[in-house]
Amino acid sequence: MTATIISGKEVATAIRAELKAEVAELKEKHGIQPGLATVLVGEDPASVSYVTAKGRGCEEIGLASFQHTLPADISQEDLLKLVDKLNNDPKVDGILVQLPLPKHIDDNKILYAINPDKDVDGFHPVNVGRLVIGESIFPPCTPAGIQELIVRAGTPTKGAELVVVGRSNIVGKPIAVMMLQKAPNANSTVTVCHTGSRDMTLHTLRADILVVAAGVPKAVTADMVKPGATVIDVGVNRIGTTASGKAKLAGDVDFEAVKEKASAITPVPGGVGPMTITMLMKNTVMAAKAAGGLIKI
Ligand code: NAP
């Protein structure tokens, strides 16, 4: 069996088209213009490119975008003042502070200062709590993208054995919490593996859905995968340089071998990656709807 390749690019394009239509309707019917503020501190090239892509994403679907670029030596106090200003700006529905921040700034102090109702990244403890009790409207963006890929690939989630490899706060834990909710597109039996797991293969071999977020190339090989499983590879590992000088990327799954065993699999690049910014846009639209009284948080 050769697996269906789940294209994150195609799914992201479809969701962006849906969001574009929704934003147009919000403007026309309700006079709501959703807006996202991004805050970039310093000139780290990866962060600059992420923030630029977020700005482009906003433009594509009709969101207002407010980009704040600050010098690397800005004080924590001044950054907190900007967050406070954005918290109180009615044109701003979502606030995204690009991480990592310079060493003299405490990331958590800044993230926890964001109004939870504008925390479209979903990292504020209030939103982490909402996620756990199944009341989140801002699921963290990468796990939200993973869930969309599973569902749009047509994989049934209710009652499925779902195994997550990795327990980070940004991927492993939130996707595990999301998929065990008694809710549509979830309701799975969830197991989480990590470096303390005694026999990871024992668990992965039972997985109808296997989500791998370890940050280690080939952490999952074909002998660890159940025939017919849906495999979501979250990993992004630089494994060299292409002939044109670009970084050569690989996921955490031995793609070539596992695709012969799985029924569906995401590639790297082009799988989970394209989904993350799209889910940020979706969360911003949700924030605008909540601010406009159309939905309840
Ligand atoms: P992380 O914070 O480094 O966490 C990795 C987790 O995997 C840890 O819980 C670790 O266990 C576990 N782990 C590592 N090696 C393992 C192994 N051999 N067997 C079992 N468990 C293992 O990483 P992360 O932030 O979750 O990111 C994971 C990967 O996803 C990275 O490659 C990252 O670049 C990628 N990523 C992609 C996107 C995207 O948009 N495409 C977004 C976020 C992350 P311990 O807890 O025991 O140490």
Side-chain angles (χ1 to χ4, degrees):
M1 177 200 299
T2 297
T4 302
I5 309 300
I6 307 169
S7 167
K9 271 191 199 158
E10 281 174 21
V11 175
T13 302
I15 295 175
R16 285 184 190 211
E18 291 163 17
L19 287 173
K20 191 174 177 176
E22 193 174 355
V23 170
E25 195 180 310
L26 281 176
K27 285 185 204 170
E28 216 176 282
K29 283 201 185 151
H30 303 281
I32 292 173
Q33 166 63 72
L36 174 70
T38 54
V39 179
L40 172 65
V41 180
E43 290 168 0
D44 171 63
S47 296
V48 171
S49 99
Y50 290 140
V51 169
T52 307
K54 285 163 189 170
R56 267 203 310 268
C58 285
E59 201 177 310
E60 186 188 327
I61 68 157
L63 301 183
S65 161
F66 310 99
Q67 300 193 10
H68 298 265
T69 305
L70 306 166
D73 63 355
I74 188 172
S75 69
Q76 181 164 293
E77 203 190 338
D78 284 346
L79 187 52
L80 283 169
K81 276 186 197 153
L82 173 63
V83 169
D84 187 51
K85 197 172 138 212
L86 298 174
N87 280 342
N88 291 300
D89 184 342
K91 290 200 289 297
V92 172
D93 297 295
I95 301 170
L96 177 123
V97 177
Q98 186 65 46
L99 298 179
L101 292 168
K103 286 202 167 55
H104 66 280
I105 295 175
D106 179 346
D107 289 6
N108 284 349
K109 270 245 159 64
I110 304 300
L111 295 184
Y112 297 178
I114 296 173
N115 176 349
D117 295 348
K118 295 190 176 190
D119 168 41
V120 284
D121 242 349
F123 291 149
H124 192 287
V126 167
N127 285 320
V128 176
R130 285 172 175 162
L131 192 78
V132 172
I133 61 175
E135 289 184 2
S136 167
I137 67 161
F138 305 135
C141 301
T142 299
I146 294 169
Q147 188 178 32
E148 284 281 353
L149 289 177
I150 293 169
V151 170
R152 292 190 188 227
T155 309
T157 58
K158 185 181 172 192
E161 293 287 334
L162 186 145
V163 175
V164 182
V165 178
R167 58 176 163 191
S168 72
N169 289 335
I170 62 166
V171 187
K173 280 183 201 155
I175 188 64
V177 162
M178 287 160 69
M179 297 310 293
L180 67 78
Q181 298 298 328
K182 192 169 184 177
N185 302 334
N187 218 355
S188 304
T189 304
V190 176
T191 305
V192 182
C193 298
H194 43 76
T195 60
S197 298
R198 206 164 40 219
D199 183 352
M200 194 163 82
T201 304
L202 178 82
H203 300 288
T204 59
L205 271 179
R206 282 191 300 105
D208 303 309
I209 303 169
L210 181 58
V211 177
V212 190
V216 178
K218 299 194 181 172
V220 166
T221 47
D223 57 313
M224 299 166 76
V225 176
K226 176 177 167 179
T230 293
V231 179
I232 308 292
D233 188 352
V234 190
V236 180
N237 303 293
R238 284 167 196 265
I239 54 160
T241 315
T242 63
S244 58
K246 280 189 171 173
K248 200 170 166 192
L249 301 179
D252 290 348
V253 173
D254 183 356
F255 180 82
E256 288 306 323
V258 171
K259 82 174 178 359
E260 300 305 323
K261 213 167 169 191
S263 66
I265 186 168
T266 57
V268 177
V272 175
M275 295 295 292
T276 300
I277 294 180
T278 302
M279 301 322 285
L280 177 73
M281 311 283 116
K282 186 172 179 182
N283 282 353
T284 304
V285 172
M286 292 296 276
K289 284 163 78 173
L294 300 181
I295 54 169
K296 257 190 85 184
I297 288 191

